[in-house]
Structures are given as structure tokens and as C-alpha cells.
Amino acid sequence: MAAKIWMQDKLVDADQAKISVFDHGLLYGDGIFEGIRVYGSRIFELDAHIERLYKSAKVIRLDIPLDKAELADAIEQTVKANNIADGYIRLIVTRGVGDLGLDPFLCEKAQVIIIADEIQLYPEELYEKGLTVISSTTIRSHPLSIPPQVKSLNYLNSILAKIEAIDSGAGEAIMFNHEGYVAEASADNVFIVKDGELYTPPGYAGLLEGITRAIVMRLAIQTGIKVIERNITRADLYTCDELFLTGTGAEVIGVVEIDNRKIGDGKPGEMTKMLRKKFFEYARSSNA
Ligand code: PXG
């Protein structure tokens, strides 16, 4: 358990880190967050996470009470105070304390919370064997609803998909968009390999543009692999040579079965393994 939590403008003991029952983050899921990794005491892609947080804030008209440099400094201090060498940061900004009505502008001030802790990893065995996934019947929200680009505190869409996965004994659920194209998994982005080329749904398919996704695309291009962002159908998933997911928690993980259809030979594919290795090395290297 984390010992010290950043609350607004200072570190406090974990048992003193409390928020009001009138916080709109709790009452309405009105807020945003980021999940960030720490590798070898270095905060991975901190600038990209801060940029994404501020973009989420802009969309929902939330004023973050710290500027980007102050926020980065607060994150660094929280990691140090908890002695986290390899771990996980949860950065949260809620709308803050308001009344029982929806109006966000009646809230006093946004509430910044930073938790730095150990990370719960998928067991290594799962990376070797690969994940089983299902197609979710819950679709990603329409772009004119909660924009999927906003990493909001309302994750019920993803949670409904995750429940479906758990109910069917699968590790993850693939979510489609309102047009029936693949969007992403409940907390990861989706890639497929077909004839040696790498495909991933474009941002406009309605997905969170993952920071891991961007790095994996870059590493693939550097290796000479052609990377194509285009709409992917369910049949594309069923007939691809390889399928894998990317995200802060999972990094790169192979999928070997979807909706009772085996992918490839039922083991994580060669390109998946190569990109997992490259990502693993990059994240732990001193230039990351
Ligand atoms: N799509 C969704 C819906 C996500 O929530 C990703 C894609 C991958 O994005 P990144 O930037 O991480 O490559 C996410 C990330 C958690 C947790 O505790 C979830 C995420 C990140 C960190 C922790 O479930 N989601």
C-alpha cells in the first residue's frame, strides 16, 4: 500500500487522503485520470500522459489547478516519497466539491489526487500462452456521447464489457463502435497482423489513443514493418494471422482466441513476440 498520497498541493499520509461525498467525481463520474508506469525509478512517457490529461480536461471544461510543470513535479515527488522503482501511478483530477445538482461550475475547485504504488502485473505465463478474448455486445460510446478520447472517470462502458469477458471466462473484451468497426478493448488498444503488415483502428474509429499504441507503432515502423491505420471488422479479427493488445498495464500481450476462433496456430505470433520484446527493452532503457 502506498504510504503517501498527493492531495491537491501536498503529500499526506494515506489514511488522511480523503475526499468529500459531495465531490462530483464520486457523484457523477465527473473527472479524468491517467495510468502511468514507473520503470527503474523513471516515469515512463510522463509528458505524453500530462498532455493527454490536459486535453481530456479541455474537452470536459475542467480547470486543473496546477500547471503542467507543477503537476509533473508533484508526480515526481509522490513517486519518490513512496520509494517506487517499478510501479504504477494513478493520476486523478475530479471536478471537486459541489452540490447535489449537475452544474460543474458550482464546484469549488478541481481536486488533484496522485497515487504511486506497486503494480499488479499479468502473470508471465499469460504472455507465453496468450489471452482469450470475446467480442463485447457493449459498444464504445458514440463520438457525440462521452468522447472515447477523454480518459474520464466514467468507465462503465468498459466495465460492462469487462463483465461480459469475465462471465465467458475470457481475459478481455473487444469493443466495437456504433458503425460496427473495432474500436479497442476495455482498457487496451487492438492490433492485428495480416500478411506481415500491422493494422490498428484509427483514432476516428472512437478510441483512446493509447500511449503504448503510439510507441508500438513507432517501434514497428523503425523495424521496417508497414503500419496501417484503417477500419477493422469482426471478420478481420477472426481471419488475421496475429492479434495483440497494448496498454500501460499489459504492455504488449498476444491474443490467441476470439469468440471460439483460434488465431494463427493458437500461440502468440512472431511479430507480437518481437514487438513485445522491443517494447520491453525500450521501456526499460535509459533513453525512454
Ligand atoms: N483504451 C482504453 C479504454 C484504456 O483505458 C488504453 C486504451 C491504453 O492506453 P495507454 O495510454 O495506457 O497505452 C487504456 C488505458 C487500469 C488501467 O488500471 C487502464 C488503463 C491504463 C492504466 C491502467 O485499468 N487504460
Side-chain angles (χ1 to χ4, degrees), residues 53-119:
L53 184 84
Y54 273 80
K55 282 195 183 126
S56 291
K58 186 169 186 187
V59 176
I60 71 162
R61 293 188 57 194
L62 178 73
D63 287 326
I64 300 176
L66 302 177
D67 68 25
K68 291 177 188 174
E70 287 167 337
L71 191 57
D73 184 55
I75 296 168
E76 304 265 6
Q77 283 191 48
T78 311
V79 168
K80 281 208 182 81
N82 290 287
N83 267 322
I84 301 293
D86 287 285
Y88 178 74
I89 301 161
R90 176 60 59 95
L91 167 62
I92 306 157
V93 187
T94 75
R95 189 74 70 173
V97 174
D99 61 20
L100 292 178
L102 254 68
D103 189 345
F105 303 119
L106 296 178
C107 294
E108 288 159 23
K109 193 178 189 187
Q111 168 78 53
V112 177
I113 302 166
I114 307 167
I115 307 167
D117 212 340
E118 308 295 325
I119 181 160

Side-chain angles (χ1 to χ4, degrees), residues 33-37 49 52 88-90 119 140 148 150-151 155 158 175 183-190 207-214 246-251 279:
F33 77 102
E34 285 293 321
I36 312 171
R37 286 285 281 267
H49 282 285
R52 189 167 70 183
Y88 178 74
I89 301 161
R90 176 60 59 95
I119 181 160
R140 209 57 176 98
V150 174
K151 202 161 164 56
Y155 252 54
S158 284
M175 302 178 78
E184 58 186 330
S186 72
D188 296 284
N189 291 114
V190 176
L207 47 98
L208 183 80
E209 287 176 65
I211 287 162
T212 321
R213 171 185 180 270
T246 65
T248 292
E251 299 183 327
F279 182 84

Side-chain angles (χ1 to χ4, degrees), residues 14 18 26 36 54 67 79 114 121 130 140 144 147 150 154 160 170 194 203 207 210 214 217 220 231 245 256 286-287:
K18 293 180 179 150
L26 173 69
I36 312 171
Y54 273 80
D67 68 25
V79 168
I114 307 167
L121 297 171
R140 209 57 176 98
L144 293 177
V150 174
N154 189 330
L160 289 178
K194 187 113 182 146
L207 47 98
M217 288 166 77
N231 278 331
L245 308 179
V256 292
S286 53
N287 357 318

